[in-house]
Amino acid sequence: MGLTRNWWRNSRQKPKIFSTCQWKKRKRYWQTSTEVEGFGQAFAVSEEQKLDWADIFYLTTQPKHLRKPNLLPMLPLPYRDTLESYSLELQNLAMNILDCMSKALNIDNGIMKAVFENEGTQSLRMNYYPQCPQPDKVIGLTPHSDSVAVTILLQFDETEGLQIMKDKKWVPVKSLPDAFVVNIGDIMEILSNGMYKSILHRAVVDETKARISVAAFHNPALDKEIGPIPDLVTPGTPARFRSTSMIDYMKQLFTRVLDGKSYLDYMRINENATSWN
Ligand SMILES: O=C(O)CCC(=O)C(=O)O
Ligand SMILES: [Fe+2]
């Protein structure tokens, strides 16, 4: 993917929003008490909460009419154009990934298309983890699963930080040049009725080196209902999750602190309480 290679290699295109010389300009993109988009902290919902050792810049990129007028449209050039093309390329890549998943799930690919195409949403989160003199005393990003369907993650440089939970252990994910990490999120676990499992992950920080990552989150269109795809619900594989509207799902999400896979558990049907005849 040519674009990504160039974007990656050209350090001038690194998310400038984080460089200290831009500190004053950041203020114009700041999050507010009612707005999660912009520059600030991930999932900060209370004054008492312990914050992660990271700054983030979070913004909706697709569809265009959902963009906040003070964010992407106001970013300086050429950064704005780069983000624009990056967003489109990743949207296409996400559709290809969803196509492959449909094949693996043995369902008609029109089903995923109907849920994600046209008004499917994409948001980008740029994460900046400064170096920390005592890295084991802090966490870069709290253990969580992404609430979305599919995340395509770009890691800058070779500084490692991403870890996934595998066999009850944290396993580092190598940062490979010119490679993405694709994370399955909670919505994919719901849509696939548990066939795909969302991955619990976290980010740790380094003692001497800062690290930047860019997560592109892909979700169904906001007017869609999410729940297990009917073709995947059978007498042998009853629905494992409740259905809800995308709007309600998102509303609930941003009132919660980030806490492992707790939101998915909230969506889960209590299997013992359900009888399937
Ligand atoms: O920085 C990373 O590698 C992880 C980022 C992440 O998990 C997220 O933005 O949801
Ligand atoms: Fe994540």
Side-chain angles (χ1 to χ4, degrees):
M1 204 170 139
L3 169 75
T4 312
R5 186 182 292 261
N6 290 338
W7 201 57
W8 180 302
R9 294 261 160 86
N10 182 354
S11 59
R12 282 177 306 158
Q13 299 292 4
K14 266 196 182 178
K16 281 194 182 152
I17 202 84
F18 295 124
S19 57
T20 28
C21 61
Q22 297 271 334
W23 180 255
K24 282 208 181 98
K25 288 193 186 152
R26 276 188 217 176
K27 281 197 174 156
R28 85 165 81 120
Y29 311 119
W30 219 269
Q31 291 171 338
T32 63
S33 57
T34 53
E35 185 47 72
V36 293
E37 291 195 37
F39 183 82
Q41 289 280 331
F43 289 85
V45 293
S46 99
E47 297 265 322
E48 277 93 67
Q49 187 184 337
K50 189 174 168 199
L51 296 175
D52 291 339
W53 192 265
D55 290 335
I56 62 137
F57 184 61
Y58 177 65
L59 75 173
T60 298
T61 39
Q62 304 292 346
K64 279 190 173 172
H65 65 89
L66 291 182
R67 291 177 183 175
K68 302 283 174 210
N70 64 323
L71 297 177
L72 205 145
M74 298 300 279
L75 290 177
L77 289 169
Y79 183 45
R80 189 194 330 149
D81 282 349
T82 312
L83 272 192
E84 184 80 70
S85 1
Y86 186 70
S87 151
L88 289 175
E89 289 248 9
L90 260 69
Q91 188 86 332
N92 289 337
L93 179 60
M95 287 315 294
N96 289 338
I97 292 170
L98 290 164
D99 222 27
C100 296
M101 289 179 155
S102 297
K103 286 200 183 86
L105 290 168
N106 209 8
I107 54 169
D108 189 301
N109 71 352
I111 299 176
M112 290 285 192
K113 276 213 169 81
V115 177
F116 287 90
E117 242 177 24
N118 301 323
E119 292 283 294
T121 66
Q122 180 197 58
S123 50
L124 297 184
R125 187 160 76 208
M126 286 152 245
N127 303 298
Y128 173 68
Y129 308 96
Q131 60 268 52
C132 176
Q134 293 181 296
D136 42 350
K137 295 250 163 70
V138 300
I139 186 83
L141 194 51
T142 305
H144 66 285
S145 55
D146 294 341
S147 61
V148 302
V150 172
T151 305
I152 305 175
L153 184 79
L154 176 66
Q155 304 190 73
F156 278 95
D157 312 314
E158 256 91 74
T159 315
E160 274 180 22
L162 175 64
Q163 299 186 334
I164 57 165
M165 178 61 88
K166 186 166 185 287
D167 302 328
K168 302 201 174 131
K169 286 202 190 88
W170 288 113
V171 180
V173 177
K174 258 203 170 350
S175 175
L176 298 174
D178 300 337
F180 289 117
V181 173
V182 176
N183 279 338
I184 306 286
D186 293 345
I187 288 186
M188 183 50 70
E189 183 159 346
I190 295 172
L191 292 174
S192 70
N193 200 21
M195 302 271 266
Y196 279 110
K197 302 266 186 270
S198 64
I199 182 79
L200 189 63
H201 57 285
R202 69 178 186 179
V204 296
V205 298
D206 193 272
E207 193 175 342
T208 55
K209 282 174 283 173
R211 172 172 174 267
I212 289 178
S213 67
V214 179
F217 302 113
H218 296 91
N219 256 340
L222 283 179
D223 62 352
K224 296 286 183 276
E225 185 83 6
I226 52 160
I229 290 172
D231 291 20
L232 300 174
V233 179
T234 66
T237 55
R240 294 202 165 122
F241 299 95
R242 295 187 280 126
S243 297
T244 183
S245 69
M246 227 1 240
I247 295 268
D248 284 347
Y249 181 89
M250 296 304 288
K251 269 193 203 146
Q252 274 284 335
L253 173 71
F254 285 114
T255 59
R256 304 168 73 93
V257 284
L258 205 56
D259 174 22
K261 289 182 68 162
S262 66
Y263 190 36
L264 188 65
D265 289 338
Y266 162 81
M267 291 294 293
R268 201 181 298 278
I269 291 172
N270 180 348
E271 277 156 27
N272 299 331
T274 316
S275 69
W276 301 96
N277 302 317

